[in-house]
Amino acid sequence: MLRSELGMSGPFTPWVHPLADEKESFYFSGHYWGVVAPALYPLAFPLRVWRWLHRWLRGRRLFVFEGCASYLSSPWAPRLVAAVTPRPVLVVCLREPVEQHRSWWRLEQASLAWAEELRLGRRWLGPPHRTAGYPPKSFREAVLLSRSAEVGAIWRRADELAVGPPLRRMPAWALPFPNGQLSAFDRMGRLADSIERWRAIFGAHRRPTQTLPLPPSRPPSPPLPRLPGMLPGSECFVFVSLDEIVHTPGAVLSAIAAKCSELHGEGNGLADCTAAADGLRAPCKNASAPLPDDLAPDELTQFELAAYYRPHNERLFRVIGRDLGWHNDPHRYPFYHPSPGVSIAMSRDSEWGLGTTPGSGPGSRTDLSVSAASDSSLCLVDVL
């Protein structure tokens, strides 16, 4: 939609796959043999002659973007992005964590099935850069692995990569996530922690922009006061929920265009593009096949996850300044509303306790639908 409706340009990507589709380069995830040097990142975007031609024909500079689910929870990504561009518009797409985990599990199972069809098997995912027993055999095992002490220690090593000068090459053990994609559930689900990590780099000294549609004719805001140690663009965030992208994409595009205008003074042309976007439908390109019963997420683990994430979600709502309604929709998010026969005891963040009525158990199957849309992610927008 950023390309077709707002005329932006996405990055080059070597992956010929609908998941990428000129949307994400995966550069700061280390997919280019571990290279993440900020000085090479502009090579993923149009050359200077094309940018000059665009400005001559359109009367404004070219806006470019990259939307990558990996960047939001990667501890090293904020400093690398800041080294490339200190004034991006950061569009944070927020998805309810339990639904996100189910979607991510299904996506990774499809990737494993693809690897097995190529006769790579699953050994290629194992040690030395993965813990013994990786990949986990069930959804519950993957969740518990992501919260284990061993994986926690690996992620603390990853946090240290964000300290000091920006990296030029990622260590192999951290690619593309510390201990692999199926060890990232817990980091992905604690969205407020990820947002605060980005705000610590790009700064935020007043309430972030919300996702209500802004009038296209709104004049650019005056420059924000610079605080000591704060990079430019302290109000560079636009928070959108997955539901808003699916049901009101025109309003989301208007909010992004308004923020571009506010930060760069050249977004008025983008806002004009959203005038006829009321009937726009968000595309869905990354649907995975349904999982067999033995791999499908079990219902009780989802109830446990919902109880665990409820306080983290409430903290997220305070950080972004509004409630996204995840806890109040039993039809869309039934795992926040367990039946009277299920009792969930939460002792500590790292421990789960579960009790059930006779006839139920950890292997019980749920028929909750999984949306085939994007996971929680971060989209970078800048002007060249």
Side-chain angles (χ1 to χ4, degrees):
M1 290 188 294
L2 293 177
R3 290 195 305 269
S4 61
E5 304 300 325
L6 298 187
M8 295 184 181
S9 178
F12 164 79
T13 175
W15 309 107
V16 182
H17 193 282
L19 281 175
D21 193 24
E22 298 182 5
K23 175 181 72 71
E24 51 191 324
S25 70
F26 300 98
Y27 182 77
F28 291 128
S29 297
H31 283 218
Y32 294 80
W33 300 280
V35 175
V36 292
L40 299 178
Y41 181 60
L43 295 177
F45 295 96
L47 299 175
R48 182 172 298 178
V49 63
W50 174 254
R51 304 199 305 260
W52 176 85
L53 183 62
H54 181 279
R55 186 166 188 172
W56 182 70
L57 293 174
R58 298 289 185 90
R60 61 173 172 82
R61 288 183 293 172
L62 175 66
F63 278 89
V64 295
F65 74 92
E66 176 174 14
C68 186
S70 305
Y71 291 172
L72 182 60
S73 56
S74 297
W76 56 82
R79 288 182 62 86
L80 293 174
V81 171
V84 174
T85 169
R87 286 186 67 88
V89 174
L90 300 175
V91 183
V92 184
C93 173
L94 301 168
R95 186 175 190 179
E96 188 282 318
V98 182
E99 189 177 72
Q100 186 273 338
H101 288 0
R102 294 161 52 197
S103 174
W104 188 257
W105 171 254
R106 190 168 69 171
L107 173 66
E108 291 304 317
Q109 291 305 308
S111 298
L112 291 173
W114 171 79
E116 290 180 343
E117 289 178 0
L118 296 180
R119 298 184 179 181
L120 295 175
R122 298 195 174 200
R123 294 182 59 187
W124 66 287
L125 291 172
H129 301 305
R130 304 288 184 264
T131 57
Y134 191 93
K137 297 180 177 60
S138 69
F139 179 69
R140 184 178 185 84
E141 287 184 17
V143 172
L144 293 175
L145 174 65
S146 74
R147 300 177 62 190
S148 67
E150 187 174 8
V151 169
I154 299 174
W155 274 98
R156 284 191 292 275
R157 288 178 62 193
D159 290 334
E160 296 174 359
L161 298 176
V163 181
L167 295 169
R168 298 176 64 86
R169 183 183 292 271
M170 292 290 298
W173 58 264
L175 300 175
F177 290 94
N179 202 55
Q181 288 93 323
L182 292 174
S183 299
F185 283 118
D186 193 55
R187 277 294 180 114
M188 288 181 167
R190 291 186 280 119
L191 295 166
D193 292 347
S194 297
I195 291 172
E196 292 290 9
R197 186 181 302 110
W198 281 87
R199 293 178 72 183
I201 297 297
F202 288 91
H205 62 276
R206 62 179 185 179
R207 186 175 296 256
T209 298
Q210 299 185 15
T211 52
L212 299 177
L214 300 176
S217 59
R218 176 185 176 185
S221 300
L224 299 173
R226 179 81 177 275
L227 298 184
M230 180 177 291
L231 289 171
S234 60
E235 282 306 307
C236 55
F237 294 89
V238 178
F239 297 103
V240 300
S241 71
L242 177 63
D243 292 335
E244 290 169 331
I245 294 176
V246 172
H247 299 297
T248 58
V252 172
L253 293 179
S254 295
I256 295 173
K259 179 56 64 176
C260 291
S261 178
E262 178 183 333
L263 287 188
H264 298 290
E266 301 210 16
N268 291 332
L270 298 179
D272 294 341
C273 297
T274 66
D278 292 340
L280 185 66
R281 293 180 60 86
C284 177
K285 296 185 177 182
N286 59 338
S288 299
L291 293 174
D293 289 354
D294 61 324
L295 289 177
D298 65 274
E299 187 176 42
L300 295 180
T301 298
Q302 295 176 65
F303 286 140
E304 289 178 317
L305 281 170
Y308 170 70
Y309 281 125
R310 183 182 289 272
H312 290 285
N313 294 343
E314 291 171 350
R315 177 168 168 248
L316 168 69
F317 301 157
R318 292 192 296 270
V319 168
I320 68 174
R322 63 195 182 97
D323 190 329
L324 297 178
W326 295 339
H327 303 158
N328 305 320
D329 190 345
H331 177 72
R332 176 71 186 277
Y333 306 111
F335 26 80
Y336 289 103
H337 305 270
S339 63
V342 177
S343 62
I344 301 173
M346 302 296 294
S347 54
R348 297 185 316 188
D349 274 2
S350 59
E351 296 180 356
W352 289 355
L354 180 65
T356 67
T357 57
S360 62
S364 61
R365 171 77 184 277
T366 177
D367 292 325
L368 308 178
S369 61
V370 178
S371 172
S374 173
D375 292 328
S376 298
S377 62
L378 184 79
C379 179
L380 317 172
V381 179
D382 204 357
V383 64
L384 299 178

